[in-house]
Amino acid sequence: MNSIKVIKVGGKVIDDDQKLDTFLEAFMSITGPKVLVHGGGSVASVLGERLGIKPNLMDGRRITDAETLEVITMVYGGLVNKKIVAKLQSLGGNALGLSGADLNIISAKKRDPEPIDFGWVGDVEQVNSQWFLKLLGEGVIPVLAPLTHDGSGHMLNTNADTIASSVASALSSDLETELILCFEQAGVMNGEKLITEMNLLLYRHLKGTGIVTDGMIPKIEVGFQALKNGAKKVSIRHYEDVAKPDSGTVFISN
Amino acid sequence: MNSIKVIKVGGKVIDDDQKLDTFLEAFMSITGPKVLVHGGGSVASVLGERLGIKPNLMDGRRITDAETLEVITMVYGGLVNKKIVAKLQSLGGNALGLSGADLNIISAKKRDPEPIDFGWVGDVEQVNSQWFLKLLGEGVIPVLAPLTHDGSGHMLNTNADTIASSVASALSSDLETELILCFEQAGVMNGEKLITEMNLLLYRHLKGTGIVTDGMIPKIEVGFQALKNGAKKVSIRHYEDVAKPDSGTVFISN
């Protein structure tokens, strides 16, 4: 084993069983060691609303109070994670669902409540590469929910793109690592047109001119972070193209 | 590694954070390889009710329709499982939360809808001993939620006592196995008095005279099943006494 693909899927793909099946079948067509990181889709917000908990967002990020953390732990760590694991098993992949607490595989620090108290949100501190390497060496497909833990008995809510980037970064010390962020668009878009290559200079320009906004900004930033930390390839692509090399927006470091 | 303890905890211990902490601290004082199987407590029923899903029980067993399966997968596989895993990690135990789908560690068959259609309920078909042995050999504490899968992409609801008994039975081929079923009572009771030893003849008498009833019957039966399948020791005891040898009701085969 000398290479690894870290693949993240999120957004509406998680909410739609048919899209999720299409994605997982394409994902399984990728040969070699791979890690899957999934987001939560809108299931947690929908369930929270049914339970009378209003989603509380700040700059596109959820404020995670204790009740919201329970909903997220249920939905991300239980419902979504097990649905994906059971489906991958049925497709012949030896999937293992993990939160950061399992095997202490990703520990995090609860975010400082100043200037904004995001609640039970964790910033990744350490990725346990040794366990990833052991599992991958046994042919296991780790399936990570966007949940970490603080080592003191608390689960923490952590963005799935960030988890994917952190895992890709950590594994880059030992393996040739590729990070693929999948969603419902063809990649980073300039209106209707796909941007096929992205470097920092272009990103700053696109951000400055308002062509990339909102949810796309943190996604691109974690992509560059992984590249800086040693990932050999980073791209943002359509979930149906997960197995299609060099599709979508490919990050280049110069 | 030549011995293993398979420990099940359920009932009100799951619902009460203080009781759960007491149990988990006692559990961690047990040296050597161990597996923890947890029930779901009443959290799933409470959540189901908040969502307008009424619990549907037949002979003490839940009828698992598709919506109930989603709630159970969330609560057992997400909320309860991750709470236990995070707490064990904080106590220095390298816990790994698992449903039957993870690593294909317990596969099951959806129960025949005749004579009673229990819905998405699974009867254990195969326990993947090899993965248990690998994990235990690495010092991991497997923490099993009462969920299995059918290998075709569906999660299934499976009784936690049954899972504990099946795991103990399967591991008996390779290891000297002890099964400990923990709950809020001192053991099998005859009114106020603890029954310290139980064999089949006594059990039949107690069942015939109505001294053991309801939820206790399947618990005792899976205990005898494990003994028959090669478990060296089986007992039913108070959760606070989990680490106390020969406490509670000890099963004897003659």
Side-chain angles (χ1 to χ4, degrees):
Chain A
M1 183 173 65
N2 50 26
S3 73
I4 174 80
K5 290 188 173 70
V6 179
I7 293 157
K8 187 259 172 173
V9 68
K12 295 200 176 67
V13 186
I14 300 294
D15 294 332
D16 183 323
D17 279 354
Q18 212 169 340
K19 285 182 180 170
L20 186 58
D21 282 0
T22 302
F23 167 77
L24 293 174
E25 279 159 30
F27 172 81
M28 280 306 294
S29 76
I30 298 171
T31 53
K34 45 193 180 283
V35 172
L36 180 60
V37 183
H38 65 82
S42 63
V43 197
S45 297
V46 170
L47 183 74
E49 273 170 40
R50 282 181 70 183
L51 294 169
I53 306 164
K54 286 197 183 118
N56 194 350
L57 303 171
M58 168 97 61
D59 299 336
R61 287 172 185 252
R62 193 187 296 272
I63 306 287
T64 311
D65 56 24
E67 216 177 8
T68 303
L69 181 69
E70 289 210 333
V71 171
I72 284 172
T73 305
M74 284 195 286
V75 173
Y76 300 172
L79 191 62
V80 176
N81 191 265
K82 298 314 162 203
K83 185 190 279 187
I84 291 173
V85 167
K87 179 73 187 180
L88 287 177
Q89 288 285 350
S90 79
L91 296 171
N94 196 13
L96 168 62
L98 296 165
S99 73
D102 297 290
L103 300 171
N104 186 29
I105 208 150
I106 306 178
S107 55
K109 194 177 179 309
K110 188 170 185 280
R111 194 171 297 166
D112 198 305
E114 297 297 334
I116 300 164
D117 188 356
F118 283 105
W120 294 102
V121 168
D123 294 311
V124 174
E125 280 210 315
Q126 198 161 6
V127 173
N128 192 331
S129 299
Q130 289 315 302
W131 262 110
F132 274 105
L133 296 173
K134 259 181 216 170
L135 293 170
L136 294 163
E138 295 277 354
V140 170
I141 303 172
V143 177
L144 299 173
L147 293 164
T148 56
H149 79 137
D150 67 358
S152 306
H154 301 107
M155 298 301 296
L156 295 166
N157 184 14
T158 300
N159 176 273
D161 290 320
T162 305
I163 288 184
S165 174
S166 302
V167 171
S169 296
L171 295 180
S172 293
S173 313
D174 296 287
L175 301 169
E176 196 174 295
T177 303
E178 178 168 3
L179 172 66
I180 304 171
L181 304 171
C182 294
F183 65 158
E184 315 96 290
Q185 291 177 39
V188 183
M189 305 299 289
N190 180 0
E192 298 284 289
K193 203 172 169 317
L194 172 69
I195 296 165
T196 55
E197 287 188 317
M198 171 79 80
N199 66 8
L200 263 176
L201 205 62
L202 176 61
Y203 167 56
R204 284 181 193 134
H205 170 76
L206 293 170
K207 191 177 162 187
T209 53
I211 289 168
V212 301
T213 52
D214 303 335
M216 193 55 89
I217 291 172
K219 205 178 278 290
I220 296 174
E221 291 190 349
V222 299
F224 280 119
Q225 196 63 45
L227 209 60
K228 191 181 143 196
N229 291 337
K232 281 281 175 288
K233 281 185 168 187
V234 175
S235 61
I236 297 182
R237 62 176 75 153
H238 195 276
Y239 70 92
E240 289 177 353
D241 295 335
V242 57
K244 210 169 142 190
D246 301 321
S247 60
T249 303
V250 176
F251 285 55
I252 49 179
S253 51
N254 59 5
Chain B
M1 184 173 64
N2 51 23
S3 73
I4 173 80
K5 290 187 174 71
V6 179
I7 294 157
K8 187 260 171 172
V9 69
K12 296 199 175 68
V13 186
I14 301 294
D15 294 332
D16 183 321
D17 279 353
Q18 212 169 340
K19 285 181 180 169
L20 186 60
D21 283 1
T22 301
F23 167 78
L24 293 174
E25 279 160 31
F27 172 82
M28 280 306 293
S29 75
I30 297 170
T31 54
K34 45 191 181 283
V35 172
L36 180 59
V37 183
H38 64 82
S42 63
V43 197
S45 298
V46 171
L47 182 73
E49 274 171 39
R50 281 181 70 183
L51 294 169
I53 306 164
K54 285 197 183 119
N56 195 351
L57 302 171
M58 169 95 61
D59 298 336
R61 284 169 188 255
R62 192 186 297 271
I63 306 286
T64 310
D65 56 23
E67 216 177 8
T68 303
L69 181 69
E70 290 211 333
V71 171
I72 284 172
T73 305
M74 283 196 286
V75 172
Y76 299 172
L79 191 61
V80 176
N81 191 266
K82 297 316 161 201
K83 185 192 278 187
I84 292 174
V85 168
K87 179 72 187 183
L88 288 177
Q89 287 286 350
S90 79
L91 296 171
N94 196 13
L96 168 62
L98 296 164
S99 73
D102 298 290
L103 300 172
N104 187 29
I105 208 150
I106 306 177
S107 55
K109 194 176 178 310
K110 188 170 185 277
R111 194 172 297 166
D112 197 304
E114 296 298 331
I116 300 164
D117 188 356
F118 284 105
W120 294 101
V121 168
D123 294 311
V124 174
E125 280 211 315
Q126 197 161 6
V127 173
N128 191 330
S129 297
Q130 289 315 304
W131 262 109
F132 274 106
L133 296 174
K134 258 181 216 169
L135 293 170
L136 294 165
E138 295 276 355
V140 170
I141 303 171
V143 177
L144 298 173
L147 293 164
T148 56
H149 78 137
D150 67 358
S152 306
H154 301 107
M155 297 302 295
L156 295 167
N157 185 13
T158 299
N159 177 272
D161 289 320
T162 306
I163 287 184
S165 174
S166 302
V167 170
S169 297
L171 295 180
S172 293
S173 314
D174 296 288
L175 301 169
E176 196 175 294
T177 303
E178 179 170 0
L179 173 66
I180 304 171
L181 304 171
C182 295
F183 66 159
E184 315 97 288
Q185 291 177 40
V188 182
M189 306 299 290
N190 179 0
E192 298 284 289
K193 203 172 169 320
L194 172 70
I195 295 166
T196 55
E197 287 188 319
M198 172 79 79
N199 66 8
L200 261 176
L201 205 62
L202 176 59
Y203 166 56
R204 283 180 194 136
H205 170 77
L206 294 170
K207 191 177 163 189
T209 53
I211 289 168
V212 301
T213 52
D214 304 334
M216 192 55 90
I217 292 171
K219 205 179 279 290
I220 296 174
E221 291 189 349
V222 299
F224 281 119
Q225 196 63 45
L227 209 59
K228 191 182 141 196
N229 291 337
K232 281 282 175 286
K233 281 185 168 186
V234 175
S235 61
I236 297 182
R237 62 176 75 154
H238 195 276
Y239 70 91
E240 289 178 351
D241 295 335
V242 57
K244 211 168 139 190
D246 301 319
S247 60
T249 303
V250 176
F251 286 54
I252 49 180
S253 51
N254 58 6

